[in-house]
Amino acid sequence: MTQPLWQKSDSKVDARIMRFLAGNDVILDREFFLHDIEASKAHVEGLANIGVVSGDECAGLLRELDALAVDFSSGSFVLDDRFEDGHSAIEARLTERLGDAGRRVHTGRSRNDQILVATRLWLKEKLGTLETLCREIAGVCIERAAGDSVPMPGYTHIQRAVVSSTGMWFAAFAEAFVDNALRARQAFDWIDANPLGTAAGYGVNVALDREHTTSRLGFARMQVSPIYAQLSRGKFEMAALDAVGTALLDTRRLAWDLSLFTTAEFDFVSLPGEYTTGSSIMPNKRNPDVVELLRASYAAVAAARTEIEQLLSLPSGYQRDLQFSKGSLYHGFTNGLAALELLPDLLARMEWKAERMRAAIEPAMYATDVAIEQAVAGVPFRDAYRAAAETAASAGDGRTPESSLAARVSPGAGYDLRLDALRARLTRS
């Protein structure tokens, strides 16, 4: 391993302690490395703006940082256990190539604000992806709701309750994911603040060009208080994970529905073949494994959020405990986004079994419609309710699922799908 950045003498560092201190940092930093390089470029430019590095030194540092990014992306430079972390690797490379200019690059910054800005840039990228996925899922659901909607049972307590439709089912998740896209954007806007220049949490005695780094890195604003920059670590990560978790909570309920609807007992849905797997022992089985793992995906995000929350039982200022938050953040987002990436195609290609759903609609499922119609005609609702309960077995006489839905799910009725309003919200968001 190269000499740690914080090493102040030639005394040896216990290898076991170094392994414990480094943990998985150098592996996890591969995820944030390109963002760290980009932030380093902005920092170098800022140092040049205030005369800490010369124009020639700035040009050389920027050239070598670009070369390092290319080498890392191509695999010719590997971030491995030669280095304590990604920050050490950047400085070691620049020093190797440029000598004193490389040694000057860390002026005015700490690994504390270095990891803050790298993870903040990474989070903005991931939250942008989250918003895009939620919008795509919502769009698929809107189009399928507007398509060939067919009647199906609506359930409460997993018991047949009223007549519903596939359009109503898709519209529900369309609205959910419009909200989820908005939640992702809100989280993005909240964390869109530049911590670079706050150093170890107390600033530095040099007039860093923080306006330049804020603009150069595409942040909407800077974090003003150096102490708060450290306090925000973990807090902002939890907010971002909350946004992923919100989308995955809806995914979990959607997946639960599909898990039930694909059973032989329901048999309402047929999934595309690649979303099912065979049993290793039972030749007759095709299992909805993808749907079941979609249902499970929220757990990884919830665990990541909980781990970070438990780390934050800390006083103000930087504490090394926060190093553990990187792994939680990475695993939570990686698992969450991988699940959401599958939903648009799955929802676009799943097929409803119209005959099976229509056969599951029982006469008693019209009883609520009967009671409300009588109440509108002047019968006190509780009396109409009791009368409908007594005649529930024949409540469907003379009715069809389509006529029941038309009475409730059409413009001017008590409820309609309002898909144009959902489309407008999706466009505005």
Short mmCIF file of all heavy atoms in Angstrom, two decimals, residues 78 162 191:
data_model
loop_
_atom_site.label_atom_id
_atom_site.label_comp_id
_atom_site.label_asym_id
_atom_site.label_seq_id
_atom_site.Cartn_x
_atom_site.Cartn_y
_atom_site.Cartn_z
N VAL A 78 -6.05 0.39 -12.19
CA VAL A 78 -6.94 -0.35 -11.30
C VAL A 78 -6.84 0.24 -9.89
O VAL A 78 -5.74 0.37 -9.35
CB VAL A 78 -6.60 -1.85 -11.28
CG1 VAL A 78 -7.52 -2.59 -10.31
CG2 VAL A 78 -6.70 -2.43 -12.68
N VAL A 162 -65.66 -5.64 -5.05
CA VAL A 162 -66.46 -4.90 -6.04
C VAL A 162 -65.87 -5.18 -7.42
O VAL A 162 -64.79 -5.76 -7.55
CB VAL A 162 -66.45 -3.38 -5.77
CG1 VAL A 162 -67.12 -3.05 -4.45
CG2 VAL A 162 -65.02 -2.84 -5.79
N ILE A 191 -30.57 17.91 -2.05
CA ILE A 191 -29.15 17.59 -1.83
C ILE A 191 -28.23 18.31 -2.81
O ILE A 191 -27.01 18.14 -2.75
CB ILE A 191 -28.89 16.07 -1.93
CG1 ILE A 191 -28.99 15.60 -3.38
CG2 ILE A 191 -29.84 15.28 -1.03
CD1 ILE A 191 -28.40 14.23 -3.60
#
